[in-house]
Amino acid sequence: MSVREKPVPGKLLLDDTVPLTAVIEASQNLQSHTEYIIRVQRGVSTDNSWQVIRRYSDFDALNSSLMVCGISLPLPPKKLIGNMDREFIAERQRGLQAYLDSITQHPLLSSCLFIKKFLDPNNYCANYTEIALQQVSMFFRSDLKWEVLEPLKDMGWRIRKKYFLIKNKEQPKERYLLSWVDQGPDKFLSDKDLQSALKLLTSLSTPYLCPLLFSSTGESSALLIRPFSEKGSLRDHICKVKPRESYLKKYCNPKKSQGLELSEIKLYGRQILEGLKLLHDGGLFFGHLHASNVMMDNGVCQLLDVENGMLGVPSLLRPSFTQFRKINTTESIDVFCFGHLLFEMTYGQPPDSVPVDQFPSVSYTAVVSVLQSILTTEACKSGMPTVSQLMQTPLFSDVRLQQSEKQQIKVPSRLKEALKTAKESLEKRLQEEQRVLYQHKRLTRAKSHHGSEEERKRRKILARKKSRQSAYENEEEVSVRNNNNSGSGASSPPTCPSSPTPPSTTETQAGC
């Protein structure tokens, strides 16, 4: 149970990509079972934390929900007898903590609804599938030519986005993908400008952008229709999986994933860069490039969900690029995401973490050279190439494209200005988040250094030196004082003015 106020269902109050961390603070025995008190924190601020109480059976139910991912997770085993012993509870608590660490640090599992609900039940209490169905039903009542064939459950990683396979009654053999999505925290366009931007996207016809056939926006959500591809995304192609399956089943532990041939890497990479350049030249921002957002259409890669940036939904790779203050513009985000995607095309899986300074052995030296210019520590800290510069590298410069004429997106001047303002606001929020994260890292390093064994030894040595120096100075001060005193005694003996002067011997005898 959580101690915070419940949000309005369907209303986005937070960024789902901000990592959750969980620490078991204590345990308590209640009759025949044990409860574990967990401190959950969103992001780096300790002010944004709360407690949830969970039993072992809750952990077990969560683990059952996650079994679809095909990963062996370190949940401690059940024990029916002796499960109330103090030593056993302490051991189990350590095991459950290791389990929490493994699921909250996994790049795909950490973003799934099962774990969000487990750790943050108040903010994830809404039934997003039901909300989406209500919105879709209202749309179909206003446009009778569309018909839902089936919901595509958990096809994507985004919690507040739901997919449906639909058909047009006038073209019953064609299949289309309808998606419903909540607008996000980076939505800085006015409702009117958002509608204009989406209308612009539906009018585009270019080989490197996946067509958007229809769009409709509500108070806080959007409904979108585009062609459905049975071949799936570039990630489906790499992992050799069926597009309609759950993303956890497809991508968490793919058995047949394989990197692409050099010719495919060169062609697909150049096509993706062409799509990015087209957007950048038109003043449109993306920020959502990854292998699942690239569709395959007769050997041509098309960027998918280009509207995500306008809708303000957070990027899948946001937790990665917020770590680096040089990645602070929408263009640099796209380049970083491209490096991430290029790694996956080369090795068959995304990098475990970034930066990457040691790349697995591969015969494609030109590919590794581009990866080094984007994903290494030096690149992330000093700056990365632009999209145009990447297109001029030996890896992509000699690729021949079928589409020879130059593509261009013509954006009305008023909308272009609105997009520019929204882009600046998005970058400002990112830079502020990076600043807070940077300060937190500095503070953490300082505390860690202060508490390290080496630092404690250093402080002890300094304390001893200071103590010896102080003792030496005290000895010198006493010595100087004594010397001064003995020098004064040679000329005139010390007297005590408050003491009476003793009578002389002569005077005493005379009085006798």
Side-chain angles (χ1 to χ4, degrees):
M1 57 186 181
S2 176
V3 296
R4 292 177 300 167
E5 182 179 345
K6 291 187 178 182
V8 178
K11 182 67 175 176
L12 182 59
L13 300 178
L14 44 85
D15 183 340
D16 293 324
T17 64
V18 176
L20 298 180
T21 53
V23 176
I24 303 176
E25 294 184 317
S27 62
Q28 55 189 17
N29 292 336
L30 296 177
Q31 296 178 347
S32 60
H33 68 271
T34 303
E35 291 182 338
Y36 298 92
I37 303 169
I38 306 171
R39 170 67 59 180
V40 184
Q41 181 174 312
R42 174 174 286 104
V44 298
S45 174
T46 54
D47 295 334
N48 195 2
S49 67
W50 60 94
Q51 284 184 342
V52 291
I53 297 176
R54 293 286 181 257
R55 298 171 56 175
Y56 176 82
S57 58
D58 298 321
F59 281 90
D60 189 49
L62 171 65
N63 195 62
S64 297
S65 300
L66 298 178
M67 288 183 69
V68 66
C69 71
I71 299 175
S72 179
L73 298 169
L75 181 71
K78 294 181 180 179
K79 185 177 182 180
L80 300 178
I81 301 175
N83 60 5
M84 300 296 286
D85 294 342
R86 182 180 299 178
E87 291 183 4
F88 171 76
I89 291 173
E91 182 182 352
R92 172 173 278 183
Q93 180 172 323
R94 289 190 292 270
L96 292 176
Q97 182 63 61
Y99 179 80
L100 286 174
D101 292 341
S102 68
I103 62 176
T104 55
Q105 293 168 14
H106 191 280
L108 278 180
L109 289 182
S110 59
S111 63
C112 80
L113 184 58
F114 299 122
I115 293 175
K116 299 287 189 182
K117 275 187 173 181
F118 183 83
L119 296 175
D120 189 4
N122 281 359
N123 272 315
Y124 294 93
C125 61
N127 187 332
Y128 298 106
T129 301
E130 185 63 32
I131 295 170
L133 281 171
Q134 292 173 4
Q135 299 289 327
V136 171
S137 298
M138 290 173 60
F139 165 69
F140 283 159
R141 284 198 293 268
S142 64
D143 193 339
L144 299 176
K145 70 180 180 182
W146 298 102
E147 178 183 338
V148 173
L149 296 176
E150 63 174 297
L152 300 174
K153 188 178 180 182
D154 299 328
M155 192 175 78
W157 69 275
R158 206 175 288 282
I159 291 173
R160 303 167 198 269
K161 187 171 188 176
K162 300 301 174 183
Y163 297 91
F164 302 86
L165 188 66
I166 65 173
K167 73 175 182 179
N168 187 331
K169 295 177 183 177
E170 299 170 359
Q171 299 170 305
K173 292 185 178 180
E174 296 294 327
R175 296 293 178 263
Y176 299 91
L177 183 68
L178 182 149
S179 58
W180 169 91
V181 60
D182 246 346
Q183 296 172 12
D186 284 323
K187 189 255 182 181
F188 295 108
L189 287 172
S190 68
D191 292 343
K192 183 178 179 181
D193 289 331
L194 176 60
Q195 290 172 3
S196 298
L198 293 177
K199 185 177 180 180
L200 172 68
L201 292 181
T202 57
S203 69
L204 296 179
S205 178
T206 169
Y208 306 122
L209 302 182
C210 185
L212 181 63
L213 305 178
F214 175 85
S215 66
S216 175
T217 58
E219 183 180 345
S220 62
S221 61
L223 187 146
L224 310 141
I225 298 176
R226 52 176 38 97
F228 176 74
S229 172
E230 289 287 355
K231 294 181 180 179
S233 67
L234 179 56
R235 179 163 289 161
D236 294 329
H237 178 63
I238 292 172
C239 296
K240 297 176 174 55
V241 294
K242 298 177 181 178
R244 299 193 193 189
E245 291 181 334
S246 158
Y247 82 98
L248 288 179
K249 182 178 181 180
K250 290 191 295 184
Y251 305 140
C252 271
N253 189 24
K255 305 296 184 183
K256 301 178 181 179
S257 62
Q258 186 176 350
L260 305 179
E261 297 293 330
L262 179 59
S263 58
E264 292 178 308
I265 294 173
K266 289 170 68 71
L267 178 61
Y268 297 164
R270 178 59 186 267
Q271 291 170 346
I272 292 166
L273 289 172
E274 291 285 345
L276 291 176
K277 190 172 189 307
L278 183 64
L279 293 173
H280 294 174
D281 290 347
L284 303 177
F285 49 89
F286 188 28
H288 294 264
L289 178 63
H290 53 81
S292 293
N293 271 355
V294 177
M295 300 303 294
M296 306 292 296
D297 182 31
N298 296 321
V300 178
C301 286
Q302 298 179 325
L303 302 186
L304 181 67
D305 289 351
V306 172
E307 70 280 353
N308 277 356
M310 303 167 188
L311 293 170
V313 295
S315 170
L316 173 66
L317 296 180
R318 187 179 181 89
S320 294
F321 60 71
T322 49
Q323 306 288 325
F324 308 104
R325 302 183 81 182
K326 284 289 184 180
I327 307 175
N328 56 11
T329 65
T330 55
E331 289 83 359
S332 61
I333 291 171
D334 284 336
V335 170
F336 174 81
C337 293
F338 178 78
H340 212 273
L341 172 56
L342 183 61
F343 187 102
E344 187 170 352
M345 287 196 291
T346 305
Y347 298 107
Q349 60 183 23
D352 294 330
S353 61
V354 178
V356 181
D357 291 312
Q358 295 293 328
F359 293 89
S361 177
V362 68
S363 58
Y364 316 142
T365 55
V367 177
V368 174
S369 177
V370 174
L371 289 173
Q372 288 173 336
S373 72
I374 301 174
L375 298 181
T376 58
T377 302
E378 179 65 23
C380 290
K381 289 186 176 180
S382 303
M384 297 172 294
T386 64
V387 169
S388 295
Q389 289 170 340
L390 287 173
M391 293 170 69
Q392 297 304 315
T393 59
L395 182 61
F396 301 117
S397 61
D398 61 348
V399 175
R400 293 184 179 181
L401 301 173
Q402 293 179 350
Q403 191 74 26
S404 57
E405 63 181 67
K406 187 176 181 180
Q407 301 289 307
Q408 186 178 5
I409 299 177
K410 295 181 179 179
V411 183
S413 56
R414 184 186 178 282
L415 178 57
K416 182 173 285 189
E417 190 61 33
L419 287 168
K420 180 183 177 183
T421 303
K423 174 177 170 290
E424 291 170 351
S425 298
L426 184 153
E427 291 170 350
K428 184 177 179 181
R429 186 177 93 87
L430 171 63
Q431 291 160 15
E432 175 60 23
E433 187 174 331
Q434 290 173 328
R435 184 189 65 81
V436 171
L437 189 58
Y438 176 73
Q439 289 180 341
H440 172 75
K441 284 182 176 180
R442 287 190 62 184
L443 182 62
T444 302
R445 282 197 299 266
K447 287 182 177 179
S448 176
H449 177 66
H450 188 75
S452 66
E453 185 65 28
E454 184 180 342
E455 176 63 12
R456 284 199 295 268
K457 288 180 179 178
R458 190 184 72 83
R459 291 201 303 272
K460 283 182 180 179
I461 293 171
L462 286 176
R464 291 194 196 102
K465 286 183 177 178
K466 189 174 181 181
S467 177
R468 285 198 295 268
Q469 181 68 23
S470 177
Y472 176 74
E473 290 175 353
N474 287 339
E475 288 176 2
E476 277 199 330
E477 185 179 342
V478 171
S479 176
V480 168
R481 190 186 304 121
N482 289 340
N483 289 338
N484 288 340
N485 289 344
S486 51
S488 301
S491 56
S492 58
T495 59
C496 181
S498 59
S499 301
T501 304
S504 65
T505 307
T506 309
E507 289 176 345
T508 306
Q509 289 176 346
C512 286

